[in-house]
Amino acid sequence: MVIIGFSMIFLMIIGIIAFLTLIVTPFIAVRKNKKGKPPRKISYVILGLLVLHWLFFLASGYALLPTNIAGAIFMPIWLVLCVAGLFIAIYEFKNNKGFAIPVAGLTTISLLFSIFINGISKM
């Protein structure tokens, strides 16, 4: 009997969300081909901040900061961006579904990843 660990299940969930967000959504948006309202500027700002935060994290930008400062700002910034992304995704879902679904997917991946990192840091 094979036991699947928590990390494998976590990676599978992240993979499914990423697949649905980045592959399926553009096909749905192209198929509908409706001209809807464009996203609001705040939606672009939140999406940009989420991507910028991911790039800063993946490029080890927090390693350049002192440990106390990096520890104090890392999790609050990540959670605030996730909450803002959730609100933007809900708002844009009514307005522009083609933009809202990728924002919701990136927000979900960010939230799951922040919970995962918080759990690892407490070990």
Side-chain angles (χ1 to χ4, degrees):
M1 180 174 215
V2 177
I3 298 174
I4 298 176
F6 176 71
S7 61
M8 287 301 292
I9 294 171
F10 179 75
L11 288 175
M12 288 172 41
I13 290 171
I14 295 293
I16 290 169
I17 292 170
F19 176 76
L20 291 175
T21 301
L22 301 173
I23 304 298
V24 175
T25 304
F27 286 119
I28 293 171
V30 168
R31 190 179 315 166
K32 288 200 174 192
N33 201 15
K34 285 188 197 176
K35 189 67 177 174
K37 296 179 182 178
R40 299 227 175 207
K41 290 178 184 174
I42 188 72
S43 302
Y44 287 124
V45 169
I46 297 299
L47 181 63
L49 286 174
L50 274 168
V51 170
L52 184 66
H53 187 68
W54 267 102
L55 290 175
F56 190 68
F57 172 71
L58 292 175
S60 300
Y62 286 104
L64 300 174
L65 299 174
T67 308
N68 295 343
I69 295 172
I73 66 170
F74 177 72
M75 195 57 68
I77 288 176
W78 206 304
L79 292 177
V80 166
L81 284 175
C82 288
V83 169
L86 177 70
F87 286 133
I88 291 298
I90 290 170
Y91 176 74
E92 287 295 334
F93 192 75
K94 298 174 188 174
N95 188 20
N96 189 347
K97 291 180 183 171
F99 184 80
I101 294 174
V103 171
L106 185 61
T107 301
T108 305
I109 290 171
S110 295
L111 183 64
L112 289 173
F113 197 73
S114 68
I115 292 170
F116 183 67
I117 287 177
N118 192 23
I120 287 176
S121 69
K122 300 228 177 186
M123 289 181 143

